[in-house]
Every structure is written in structure tokens, then in C-alpha cells.
Amino acid sequence: MAKADANLMRPGWVIEYNGRPHTVMGISIVKPGKGGAFIQADLRDLDSGSKTNHRWRTVDTVEKLLAEDKDFSFLYSEGDSAVFMDSKTYDQLNVANDVIGEERAKLLADGMNVVISFVEGRPVGVRLPKNTIVVLTDTEAVVKGQTATSSFKPATTEQGIRVMVPQFIEAGEAVVISTDDMSYIERAKK
């Protein structure tokens, strides 16, 4: 095990929480108006499969379990799992969507390179590229009087994921989002 700052935690990490190994399924950094920022993490127990969430202050540390990381490429989805190919041996591996994260599994695209973490030979976490490009199928109408600089509106991607985008973004546009927290980053370059 190795100590790591809680604010460096990312989905796909395997950490020790309450004496048991847990996979980090999702994170969000919350900056309340009063007090210090904190990290909210969704966790899944590797042994029981139960899900929980926990908060850490940004100055806290977590015990990151030493896992073997291997490079894989996404091939296709099959029911409630995804099929990946080892980049070195060309072996195929089925990974359940709950190991990937239900929302993040929707972002998988043909040939996408990912890193799969193994603990004792079993896949326990999947790290997607930091950002990905998605196409918006639907956005809400702009409300007159709102400024384009600070307000966001809900939008839906082709994969069915809801993301908040700036007012000037329209349906049919491609945008770059973070795979960690599904947040808007920028318009996709043409």
C-alpha cells in the first residue's frame, strides 16, 4: 500500500477503506461557500460488491492498494459487461459494467485505450482517458436574460449522459468532457 493525497484520487483507483479494498467509482470535488473543499467519492467494496460514498478533506490521505496495471483496448459491449483486448498479448477480457462504473461504461468507444487495474488477478478498476469527445443530442432552451459567461444548462449526449454545458452550446455539437466527473471542458476542435 502507498499513501496518496485524497485530492489526487481518480475513478479506477483501488483504496483501502474501513480495512477493506474498495474501487473508486466516481469522484467530485465540492467547494462549499463556507469551510474548506472536500472530495466526495463513490466506492464499491471488492469483496461484497456493496456501494457506499465517503468524504475526505483535501488535506487527508488515502491508502492506495498496489495493483497491477495493464493497457487494454476496448472492443465492444456485451450485455452488462465490456470486452477489452490486452495490448501486448491480444487476449480478450470481459469486465462487468459495475467495475467500470455505469455512467463511465457509456463513454467507451471502439479502440479506446484504457488501463485496467488487477488485484490478485481479478480486474478491479478501469481508468479511461482523462477526456473524451461526445456529441450532444439535446439541450434546453436558453432563458432570456441569463448571461452566457456564468450560467450552464443541462444537455444530453448520444450515450444518454446528462452534462451541464454553457448557454452558447447547441444540440448536435461535439464537446469535450471529463471522464472523471462528466463535466464540460470545451468545444471539440473541428
Side-chain angles (χ1 to χ4, degrees):
M1 286 190 281
K3 288 203 179 279
D5 291 335
N7 62 343
L8 298 176
M9 197 170 12
R10 296 290 175 256
W13 277 28
V14 181
I15 64 168
E16 184 174 300
Y17 171 69
N18 285 343
R20 298 173 60 97
H22 284 75
T23 300
V24 177
M25 303 306 293
I27 61 153
S28 59
I29 298 176
V30 180
K31 299 174 188 169
K34 226 177 193 183
F38 59 89
I39 291 85
Q40 177 81 32
D42 296 322
L43 306 172
R44 185 176 59 81
D45 188 311
L46 289 180
D47 298 324
S48 69
S50 64
K51 295 180 182 177
T52 186
N53 58 40
H54 186 72
R55 289 183 182 179
W56 285 273
R57 296 175 301 147
T58 55
V59 296
D60 290 341
T61 60
V62 294
E63 290 288 336
K64 183 178 179 187
L65 294 178
L66 297 179
E68 181 183 4
D69 291 342
K70 291 185 180 180
D71 294 326
F72 281 80
S73 296
F74 173 70
L75 295 177
Y76 57 91
S77 292
E78 183 176 74
D80 289 340
S81 65
V83 179
F84 297 92
M85 180 180 65
D86 187 314
S87 300
K88 292 183 178 136
T89 65
Y90 303 110
D91 292 336
Q92 291 186 8
L93 174 72
N94 275 28
V95 179
N97 285 347
D98 64 340
V99 172
I100 303 165
E102 294 295 331
E103 285 288 295
R104 295 173 64 240
K106 295 176 184 177
L107 293 176
L108 291 170
D110 290 341
M112 178 182 278
N113 293 320
V114 300
V115 176
I116 299 180
S117 299
F118 293 86
V119 171
E120 297 175 0
R122 70 177 181 188
V124 295
V126 178
R127 286 195 312 263
L128 277 58
K130 190 161 181 63
N131 305 323
T132 191
I133 297 173
V134 295
V135 176
L136 302 177
T137 57
D138 184 41
T139 61
E140 288 189 6
V142 177
V143 176
K144 190 173 182 177
Q146 287 184 330
T147 61
T149 56
S150 64
S151 58
F152 284 75
K153 62 183 179 181
T156 306
T157 68
E158 289 178 329
Q159 298 86 350
I161 299 169
R162 300 215 10 116
V163 62
M164 298 299 286
V165 297
Q167 297 288 337
F168 58 85
I169 301 292
E170 298 296 329
E173 287 190 59
V175 296
V176 178
I177 65 169
S178 167
T179 59
D180 287 344
D181 60 5
M182 307 300 169
S183 62
Y184 169 85
I185 296 176
E186 66 183 358
R187 273 185 171 151
K189 308 275 189 270
K190 292 182 181 182

